């Protein structure tokens, strides 16, 4: 009789840092998006109510930049891990780009929404966003002029939280990649996973605000550290 070890469940949280080497700017690094725009102007429901044209333009530009970006070796390595790991690999991203999917990953959980999506602020209907979304664009379901980007703004509840916490409770290994640990609830996932008995590892260029919550850290650019970590896990 052979005894088989239960394949470990891996839960991975990614942030803007994993897409940095694909040319997508981060938020809080020097020259990042939040040094060029005020969060309250472009990433809150109040900002959208005050100046919808400014907000639509901000997301139109980001949508167009994301459409041109290519996945980098970090996205590709995580897709390889999903394909080759004998257990489950869950990717939860705070990113609104589709670079994990472009790199070959499946079932990515977008907790902060997606640039590719449009949401009706009146009835909650969702549809594919046009490359450029106009102010007052009508909802194809209820016809109200209330199209907005399907991204989660400050003050709004991130998506899929119940599902994410269920995954964290079952995690054997939790990794956070390219995130500054400054935005909750994502910044608290490490504590949640550790409480469930998971080994925890941070792969980031600079130490995050919650680095001390991790059992292990690997500094460096994701394009290098992630493929190396994945090769190590897969033993090749
Ligand atoms: N490789 C790895 N990490 C990197 C790289 C890189 N090449 N470049 C930058 N980083 C790291 C930075 O050191 C920083 O810790 O990525 C992190 C980026 O942090 P933020 O800009 O704060 O991005 P993120 O953590 O994803 O932000 C969370 O805040 O406003 C929002 O909703 C937005 O989802 C976003 C959330």
């Amino acid at each position: 009789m052979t005894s088989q070890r239960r394949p470990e469940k891996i839960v991975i949280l990614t942030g803007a840092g994993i897409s940095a080497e694909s040319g997508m700017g981060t938020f809080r690094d020097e020259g990042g998006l939040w040094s060029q725009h005020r969060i309250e102007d472009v990433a809150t429901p109040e900002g959208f109510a005050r100046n919808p044209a400014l907000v639509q333009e901000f997301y139109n530009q980001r949508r167009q930049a994301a459409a041109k970006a290519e996945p980098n070796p970090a996205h590709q390595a995580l897709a390889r891990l999903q394909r080759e790991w004998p257990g489950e690999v869950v990717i939860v991203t705070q990113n609104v780009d589709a670079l994990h999917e472009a790199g070959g990953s499946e079932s990515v959980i977008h907790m902060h929404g997606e640039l590719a999506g449009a949401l009706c602020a009146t009835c909650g209907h969702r549809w594919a966003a046009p490359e450029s979304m106009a102010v007052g664009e009508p909802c194809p379901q209820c016809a109200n002029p209330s199209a907005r980007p399907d991204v989660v703004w400050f003050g709004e509840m991130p998506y899929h939280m119940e599902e994410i916490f269920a995954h964290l409770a079952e995690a054997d290994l939790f990794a956070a990649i390219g995130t500054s640990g400054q935005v909750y609830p994502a910044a608290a996932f490490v504590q949640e996973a550790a409480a469930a008995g998971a080994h925890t590892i941070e792969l980031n260029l600079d130490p995050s605000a919650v680095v001390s919550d991790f059992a292990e850290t690997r500094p460096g650019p994701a394009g290098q550290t992630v493929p190396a970590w994945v090769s190590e896990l897969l033993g090749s």
Side-chain angles (χ1 to χ4, degrees):
M1 204 170 90
T2 56
S3 77
Q4 275 200 325
R5 197 168 62 95
R6 186 174 80 87
E8 288 180 32
K9 174 161 177 160
I10 304 176
V11 179
I12 298 167
L13 170 72
T14 66
I18 197 167
S19 295
E21 289 155 79
S22 294
M24 300 294 295
T26 62
F27 295 96
R28 296 175 183 79
D29 292 306
E30 211 183 317
L33 278 173
W34 295 156
S35 69
Q36 303 164 40
H37 306 269
R38 282 159 31 110
I39 288 179
E40 49 276 45
D41 288 343
V42 296
T44 61
E46 296 77 17
F48 186 57
R50 261 196 316 271
N51 192 344
L54 178 79
V55 176
Q56 291 289 19
E57 183 51 26
F58 175 72
Y59 288 97
N60 285 342
Q61 281 181 15
R62 293 185 64 206
R63 191 177 299 108
Q64 284 153 21
K68 286 193 210 115
E70 300 281 348
N72 68 55
H75 300 106
Q76 285 155 350
L78 294 188
R80 177 184 172 215
L81 186 63
Q82 277 191 318
R83 279 194 308 273
E84 297 181 20
W85 186 249
E88 192 182 359
V89 178
V90 177
I91 299 177
V92 179
T93 188
Q94 298 166 90
N95 298 344
V96 291
D97 63 48
L99 292 174
H100 281 300
E101 290 86 348
S105 280
E106 286 178 2
S107 309
V108 178
I109 301 175
H110 283 269
M111 64 179 289
H112 290 168
E114 295 180 71
L115 285 170
L119 169 70
C120 175
T122 305
C123 75
H125 179 66
R126 289 191 160 83
W127 67 101
E131 196 174 286
S132 195
M133 206 187 289
V135 173
E137 206 158 294
C139 167
Q141 178 121 316
C142 73
N144 277 297
S146 31
R148 56 165 277 184
D150 191 10
V151 299
V152 176
W153 287 326
F154 285 88
E156 297 181 324
M157 180 62 84
Y159 298 155
H160 313 296
M161 290 314 297
E162 223 174 284
E163 184 188 354
I164 294 169
F165 279 109
H167 285 307
L168 291 168
E170 291 174 357
D172 299 301
L173 172 59
F174 172 78
I177 303 171
T179 177
S180 62
Q182 298 202 41
V183 176
Y184 286 80
F189 290 175
V190 55
Q191 287 192 355
E192 200 70 23
H199 178 66
T200 55
I201 176 167
E202 173 171 288
L203 296 97
N204 213 35
L205 196 56
D206 306 306
S208 78
V210 292
V211 67
S212 59
D213 292 338
F214 288 84
E216 189 184 344
T217 57
R218 302 210 180 172
Q224 291 170 23
T225 58
V226 177
W229 174 65
V230 166
S231 293
E232 215 177 282
L233 284 171
L234 293 173
S236 67

